[in-house]
Amino acid sequence: LAPFLDPPPAGTFAESYNVDESWVLPAVTELGGRPEVSGEGTIVYVFDELTVSGLASEASLVLADPALAAVRTLDAAELARLAQERAIPTQGADAGALRDALRSWAGEQLGGGGGGSLFPGGYLEERTAPFSNAEGGQLFAAGGGGPPHLFFFGH
């Protein structure tokens, strides 16, 4: 994050041993994250909306009923209307409880579990993607043509 933010200047080793990452916090919170400290004392930034359960829950809503896509931004009255249309009890429920009820309903509509079928292992797995689809000779030509271009036309 340092290239995109304004970190304080680096100090001496003794000063930097006590890490101050307060300059990161505004960006983390703006992006929907929060800091947590692990048992070993490492600061970890958690983004709940990017977790598998959060992704599965939101995906379940849209897959079960596209009308539920905006459930995160709706007020309590609109959530209650959506819940009543789907025969979900709404007696005395606040907006958070209504969102949870709609998410549970969506998981049941998809076959139980609220996302198990979307992420069978319970986590997202990173896939390797090639940097370029060009052949080796094409990459070599592109790399070889760059420096002369910069030399002749870069001035």
Side-chain angles (χ1 to χ4, degrees):
L1 292 174
F4 303 106
L5 302 174
D6 190 23
T12 65
F13 177 75
E15 291 172 347
S16 64
Y17 186 72
N18 186 6
V19 178
D20 176 16
E21 293 192 7
S22 61
W23 56 275
V24 177
L25 194 56
V28 170
T29 54
E30 182 69 25
L31 296 171
R34 60 183 161 70
E36 287 187 0
V37 180
S38 71
E40 298 84 39
T42 303
I43 299 172
V44 178
Y45 298 102
V46 179
F47 298 85
D48 292 323
E49 292 180 8
L50 300 178
T51 61
V52 170
S53 59
L55 290 172
S57 177
E58 296 300 317
S60 294
L61 284 169
V62 176
L63 290 172
D65 186 344
L68 300 177
V71 77
R72 287 179 43 212
T73 59
L74 298 175
D75 62 13
E78 191 66 20
L79 291 167
R81 184 188 62 76
L82 288 171
Q84 287 173 348
E85 289 173 358
R86 287 147 189 85
I88 300 170
T90 61
Q91 187 70 17
D94 65 354
L98 290 168
R99 284 186 185 93
D100 290 342
L102 286 165
R103 286 186 177 105
S104 295
W105 175 87
E108 292 169 9
Q109 298 303 306
L110 291 176
S117 61
L118 294 173
F119 305 106
Y123 57 90
L124 291 172
E125 192 167 317
E126 182 179 6
R127 290 184 291 170
T128 303
F131 179 75
S132 172
N133 290 330
E135 299 293 326
Q138 293 171 321
L139 292 172
F140 182 75
H149 180 78
L150 289 173
F151 179 75
F152 290 112
F153 301 109
H155 295 281

